[in-house]
Amino acid sequence: MLGKGACPVVHSVGRAFGPYTLYDLDAMPEDDGRRYELADGWLTELPGDVWHDHAAARLRDILKDAAGRAGADVHVAGAPQDVITPRGVRKPDVFVVGREVARAALERRSRCYYGPDLLLVAEVVTPRTGSERIDRCAKVAEYAAAGIPHYWIVDLEPRPAVTLLELTAEARDGAAYRTHARVRAGEELAVGRPFPIGFDPARLSEME
């Protein structure tokens, strides 16, 4: 697994048919707008569309505003930054880390964060794609095993809704989430951790 420094960079993919490594992931071109994750030795292209990307950007802005109002010492980020998990490398749509963690990453010029550093992670589901099952199943177990306290799954169809999963003290030994709430458009999502956050999920599909 990768050391605590920076992500490695190479210039060619050595295995045309896998299994792949972190070096292969870093070698994938990003100037064409495509993004990839690495899990269990296999590269997976992340689907994206205008509504997915818009919702992710809206959620990042909402969390940044909430953190600012609460005076929370955190940094809100997202793809294309990497998160190292027990299974490989993920590029969450949105995540929150402590400001000191973000500052340390900046100082070492790394785009990598480590699962245990995350306070909250959110994925916007792209329906009818291979990544939908990954977001709803694989990442639930993976992010729990990494010790991330809060995982939000965002659905945009038929109207925006957010499922809030929480890693409770009782669940930590078994590395499992429980569903804390499912909040739909027209309702108020209100939580106190990792800092006070309140918004209507309908905002995720609204234009500025």
Side-chain angles (χ1 to χ4, degrees):
M1 187 52 68
L2 187 65
K4 194 80 173 179
C7 291
V9 177
V10 295
H11 301 287
S12 63
V13 175
R15 284 160 295 283
F17 303 104
Y20 301 103
T21 69
L22 291 169
Y23 296 94
D24 299 320
L25 177 63
D26 275 348
M28 299 301 292
E30 296 182 353
D31 55 0
D32 59 0
R34 296 183 177 182
R35 296 176 297 175
Y36 299 85
E37 291 182 327
L38 173 69
D40 300 327
W42 298 100
L43 291 169
T44 302
E45 182 178 352
L46 296 176
D49 57 44
V50 63
W51 299 114
H52 170 281
D53 295 345
H54 174 76
R58 290 284 284 169
L59 182 56
R60 285 194 292 270
D61 289 342
I62 288 169
L63 294 180
K64 288 176 183 177
D65 289 345
R69 288 194 302 271
D73 197 22
V74 299
H75 172 66
V76 180
Q81 291 179 286
D82 296 335
V83 172
I84 308 298
T85 75
R87 294 183 62 186
V89 179
R90 296 298 189 184
K91 297 180 187 291
D93 292 315
V94 184
F95 63 89
V96 178
V97 296
R99 193 171 299 279
E100 284 302 318
V101 171
R103 185 175 294 115
L106 180 62
E107 289 174 351
R108 67 176 185 267
R109 299 182 181 277
S110 173
R111 71 167 189 260
C112 296
Y113 291 94
Y114 292 80
D117 292 331
L118 272 62
L119 305 175
L120 181 151
V121 62
E123 299 284 8
V124 179
V125 173
T126 303
R128 299 171 295 279
T129 67
S131 73
E132 179 177 11
R133 185 174 182 277
I134 293 174
D135 289 344
R136 297 191 192 281
C137 300
K139 287 183 180 178
V140 172
E142 189 173 344
Y143 288 159
I148 302 171
H150 304 278
Y151 178 28
W152 293 4
I153 300 175
V154 179
D155 289 289
L156 298 179
E157 297 182 4
R159 297 193 67 203
V162 183
T163 301
L164 286 69
L165 305 180
E166 187 174 82
L167 195 65
T168 64
E170 294 80 9
R172 287 185 188 278
D173 289 341
Y177 286 117
R178 69 175 179 87
T179 300
H180 175 70
R182 178 173 170 79
V183 186
R184 297 171 175 81
E187 301 174 344
E188 181 74 5
L189 187 159
V191 297
R193 294 178 293 179
F195 49 87
I197 305 167
F199 68 97
D200 181 340
R203 293 176 59 189
L204 299 178
S205 62
E206 293 174 351
M207 304 302 291
E208 294 278 15

